[in-house]
Amino acid sequence: MENKEAYPANDAAQDVKDSSRRNFIKQSTLLTAVALTPGTAIKAAADHIDEQIAAVFEKMPLKMQVNGKTQNLSVEPRATLLDILREQLDLTGTKKGCDHGQCGACTVHVDGHRINSCLTLGVMMNGRKITTIEGLANGNQLHPMQEAFIKHDGFQCGYCTPGQIMSAVACIREGHANSEHEIREYMSGNICRCGAYPNIVNAIQEVKDGGMAV
Amino acid sequence: MKQFQYVRPATLKAALDVIGKPGVKVIAGGTNLIDLMKRGVTAPDKLVDINHLGLVDHQSLKDITETKTGLYLGSLALNSVVSENNMVAKRHPLLAMALKAGASPQLRNMATVGGNMMQRTRCGYFYDTTMPCNKRVPGTGCGAMEGINRMHAIFGASQQCIAVHPSDMCVALAALDATVHIAGKKGERKLPFTQFHRLPGEHPDLDNNLAKDELIVGIEIPDNNFAQNSYYLKIRDRQSYAFALVSVAAALEIENGIIKNARLAMGGVAHKPWRLFDAEKALTGKQPTEENFAQAATLAMQGAIGHGGNSFKLKLAPATITEALKHAAGLV
Ligand SMILES: Cc1cc2nc3c(=O)[nH]c(=O)nc-3n(C[C@H](O)[C@H](O)[C@H](O)COP(=O)(O)OP(=O)(O)OC[C@H]3O[C@@H](n4cnc5c(N)ncnc54)[C@H](O)[C@@H]3O)c2cc1C
Ligand code: FES
Ligand code: FES
């Protein structure tokens, strides 16, 4: 077998000897190490030190901005951003399709970038700015992408639509909507079981070509 | 998902103090770990969030920086950021191509370099906790060996396991002779990328050679002359957002119509990114023609074994190697 005999590298994997012992770990005095004793944990939380420890708490404090509004929440470490949005904040526009990163129905923006909220722990969103489909419109005035989806019939059942629209806005902002091919590639993280793809692409192209700010 | 503790250390030292203990897992982007935790494949008691570790060696683990001899990617650099980075695009377009072929734009906005390297196999028996799997629970047997093994390995498998490593990024990094920078309690060590992942052997539960109490801090890619002639070709069941059946990273250095240097690695065929050393050697000094590429591909397939469901890869893989080389050489 080629890789076994002639060139050991593909299975020379067992050799894990250190090649460098340079001790590069430096501890800044500004940054304190995490402490795991309950007493210290409570003190750390009281002092608002960045290392927060759930060890002794059922729930952890979570402060994040959602659609422009600051939310001070108390969440279990295992709660996903998707579940917090839908169940604690009643923002049910964001959908749960697969819950495993495979469909894109849960797409929201974090600090302006699209992510899958089903694979995101809420506690990891501390201090971040979240935008959901509910935060896209300007008062009663729909976002241009929402208008375009209606105009082009970019949906049938509508279940994937909030995720599609959040992704579509990001797709244009990222500069990945320059051709039908590019739009299809960069929208591939959003599955539509009703197969509304051609109309979704048309909607995105219209917004892109219209040159409107998204 | 089982309840767990969550800690957010602010320094590398603090993180290294916690990891390595039983039941403790590191979380970076979470795109693989949370998925596996939801399915009960893994159930840690404590998660260590490494996204707030501050500076390590004077730089953020999220940074992409130039070194004297190459390019350094911090382990927390996002897959999307690396794939769009100007220095990466200019010097290592092969890596950018491989990254863009992986997952979806949303997932790439979350996935990190370190997490991508550490992602587990997508073998259905590994994911299904009602099935036998030596990787998930050593000693229970391999369901895929005689079962559904369409996605599985044709190289380097053992009696214990025929799973493949699913990453695209890692195939490019293996071809580009990258080096992995690892931090442990005793300091830093480096490992050639091709020696980071391992073959299953008697221990399919171990995907790689990172010790439990170590962290990946970064990847260094040495400068090369492959930028002009490189290509990542990924063959999958649908055009986008699917794991590779077979993928090939091909890089050539062509001078005066002769191949001066070649690098080839395959994904979707082994428990680790599979470097094609013999084929590389055979191509060196030859002309970049389809005939020479096909010969190198035949050589690369020596020792390949099909297991039924994946036997189609015995034909698909050499065809993919040839096609990737043609693209790299500008023949198509
Ligand atoms: C639907 C779907 C499709 C996908 N398609 C593809 C695809 O086509 N191609 C592809 O290549 N990938 C694909 N992926 C996988 C994706 O690339 C990985 O999930 C991602 O790269 C993992 O990175 P992360 O930062 O999110 O890791 P995490 O989930 O945070 O961690 C993964 C593992 O790495 C460990 N870890 C993380 N960082 C470090 C570190 N610095 N040191 C030591 N250990 C560490 C964690 O402990 C954990 O065990 C897909 C994923 C999904 C969900
Ligand atoms: S619900 Fe998140 S990707 Fe499907
Ligand atoms: S409109 Fe029904 S899933 Fe897309």
Side-chain angles (χ1 to χ4, degrees):
Chain A
M1 227 167 91
E2 124 176 50
N3 285 279
K4 267 215 162 121
E5 281 146 27
Y7 299 94
N10 264 337
D11 62 356
Q14 323 307 342
D15 182 18
V16 292
K17 289 203 188 78
D18 293 10
S19 57
S20 155
R21 282 274 171 202
R22 185 164 55 98
N23 189 0
F24 77 117
I25 303 159
K26 299 173 192 104
Q27 200 188 336
S28 157
T29 47
L30 290 172
L31 302 165
T32 30
V34 74
L36 288 166
T37 54
T40 329
I42 291 160
K43 188 176 177 304
D47 291 349
H48 299 293
I49 295 171
D50 193 40
E51 300 110 13
Q52 293 175 348
I53 298 150
V56 290
F57 308 116
E58 276 275 293
K59 295 195 171 181
M60 287 188 71
L62 164 63
K63 184 176 174 181
M64 60 182 182
Q65 215 188 76
V66 181
N67 299 333
K69 201 171 147 205
T70 301
Q71 299 283 356
N72 282 298
L73 303 167
S74 174
V75 301
E76 283 189 359
R78 66 179 165 181
T80 59
L81 176 60
L82 174 61
D83 287 343
I84 293 169
L85 289 172
R86 289 181 56 84
E87 283 160 33
Q88 268 183 270
L89 296 175
D90 237 3
L91 293 169
T92 53
T94 307
K95 300 299 181 217
K96 184 185 282 193
C98 64
D99 212 20
H100 289 280
Q102 297 177 353
C103 76
C106 65
T107 304
V108 300
H109 296 175
V110 174
D111 296 334
H113 301 286
R114 52 174 157 164
I115 56 113
N116 304 79
S117 60
C118 69
L119 292 183
T120 303
L121 291 180
V123 286
M124 290 173 73
M125 293 292 103
N126 203 42
R128 312 289 288 270
K129 288 188 178 133
I130 320 292
T131 308
T132 70
I133 188 74
E134 290 92 343
L136 219 50
N138 187 2
N140 279 335
Q141 196 191 340
L142 290 180
H143 184 278
M145 192 63 77
Q146 291 173 312
E147 298 272 16
F149 264 65
I150 295 170
K151 180 174 163 200
H152 288 274
D153 247 345
F155 46 80
Q156 283 184 40
C157 78
Y159 198 79
C160 70
T161 313
Q164 298 281 4
I165 291 177
M166 296 312 286
S167 219
V169 170
C171 185
I172 293 183
R173 284 187 191 158
E174 290 162 8
H176 290 307
N178 298 308
S179 66
E180 184 188 334
H181 175 78
E182 195 181 24
I183 291 172
R184 284 183 175 271
E185 175 59 36
Y186 280 86
M187 288 298 292
S188 69
N190 293 79
I191 308 289
C192 174
R193 288 196 68 180
C194 301
Y197 299 113
N199 298 357
I200 292 171
V201 173
N202 288 343
I204 297 172
Q205 265 179 328
E206 178 174 288
V207 177
K208 168 74 173 50
D209 295 345
M212 285 171 273
V214 287
Chain B
M1 209 191 304
K2 205 190 81 176
Q3 189 59 287
F4 54 83
Q5 299 170 5
Y6 167 83
V7 297
R8 192 187 289 150
T11 65
L12 180 62
K13 183 178 180 307
L16 290 171
D17 281 343
V18 207
I19 63 168
K21 305 208 170 85
V24 176
K25 277 244 173 232
V26 161
I27 183 162
T31 59
N32 190 224
L33 188 60
I34 299 297
D35 187 12
L36 293 170
M37 286 167 67
K38 283 185 176 181
R39 295 176 197 266
V41 173
T42 183
D45 302 318
K46 184 180 288 174
L47 283 194
V48 182
D49 178 356
I50 57 169
N51 288 291
H52 305 271
L53 294 192
L55 301 184
V56 173
D57 256 2
H58 307 294
Q59 65 189 50
S60 156
L61 292 180
K62 293 175 183 154
D63 286 349
I64 301 170
T65 45
E66 250 180 310
T67 66
K68 280 191 198 117
T69 49
L71 205 58
Y72 185 86
L73 317 175
S75 64
L76 290 175
L78 295 177
N79 285 190
S80 55
V81 170
V82 178
S83 75
E84 302 278 343
N85 180 275
N86 283 335
M87 288 185 288
V88 173
K90 212 169 127 212
R91 299 182 194 189
H92 308 295
L94 181 65
L95 175 62
M97 275 187 93
L99 278 165
K100 288 178 184 175
S104 69
Q106 290 96 312
L107 289 161
R108 296 199 293 270
N109 274 341
M110 306 166 72
T112 63
V113 166
N116 191 315
M117 292 168 63
M118 297 294 289
Q119 65 173 301
R120 312 295 315 264
T121 184
R122 308 301 287 205
C123 171
Y125 297 92
F126 174 74
Y127 262 82
D128 186 340
T129 53
T130 65
M131 289 286 174
C133 171
N134 286 326
K135 187 179 274 301
R136 183 169 28 78
V137 188
T140 53
C142 172
M145 195 69 76
E146 306 281 324
I148 299 166
N149 54 31
R150 194 168 166 272
M151 301 296 288
H152 292 68
I154 52 171
F155 288 110
S158 72
Q159 286 304 314
Q160 304 265 332
C161 179
I162 54 169
V164 300
H165 193 264
S167 167
D168 292 296
M169 177 193 84
C170 293
V171 181
L173 288 174
L176 294 172
D177 295 314
T179 304
V180 188
H181 292 234
I182 295 168
K185 279 207 181 99
K186 288 180 229 150
E188 188 188 18
R189 69 181 178 114
K190 294 177 192 169
L191 207 55
F193 199 91
T194 47
Q195 289 173 34
F196 181 81
H197 296 97
R198 60 186 293 285
L199 291 178
E202 295 297 308
H203 270 289
D205 50 317
L206 301 176
D207 296 347
N208 55 58
N209 292 305
L210 191 76
K212 281 201 161 55
D213 58 356
E214 291 180 319
L215 277 176
I216 302 166
V217 284
I219 299 292
E220 197 172 356
I221 314 170
D223 290 332
N224 60 47
N225 297 316
F226 296 128
Q228 287 293 318
N229 292 102
S230 57
Y231 200 79
Y232 187 75
L233 181 58
K234 181 176 179 185
I235 308 295
R236 41 191 155 170
D237 283 331
R238 59 181 181 205
Q239 219 171 356
S240 185
Y241 201 16
F243 286 95
L245 292 164
V246 170
S247 69
V248 173
L252 298 171
E253 183 181 349
I254 302 173
E255 217 178 76
N256 302 322
I258 298 292
I259 298 169
K260 206 175 151 197
N261 252 309
R263 294 287 182 278
L264 280 169
M266 253 198 286
V269 296
H271 198 255
K272 60 185 290 187
W274 195 246
R275 264 287 285 267
L276 311 177
F277 295 103
D278 275 358
E280 291 172 8
K281 219 173 145 193
L283 284 171
T284 311
K286 298 255 171 64
Q287 286 179 340
T289 62
E290 179 163 1
E291 202 190 342
N292 286 334
F293 294 157
Q295 267 175 20
T298 306
L299 194 61
M301 293 306 293
Q302 279 178 18
I305 298 169
H307 299 269
N310 68 352
S311 296
F312 70 96
K313 289 188 184 179
L314 300 176
K315 272 192 180 168
L316 181 62
T320 311
I321 296 170
T322 309
E323 199 60 23
L325 282 165
K326 279 164 66 185
H327 277 280
L331 302 187
V332 272

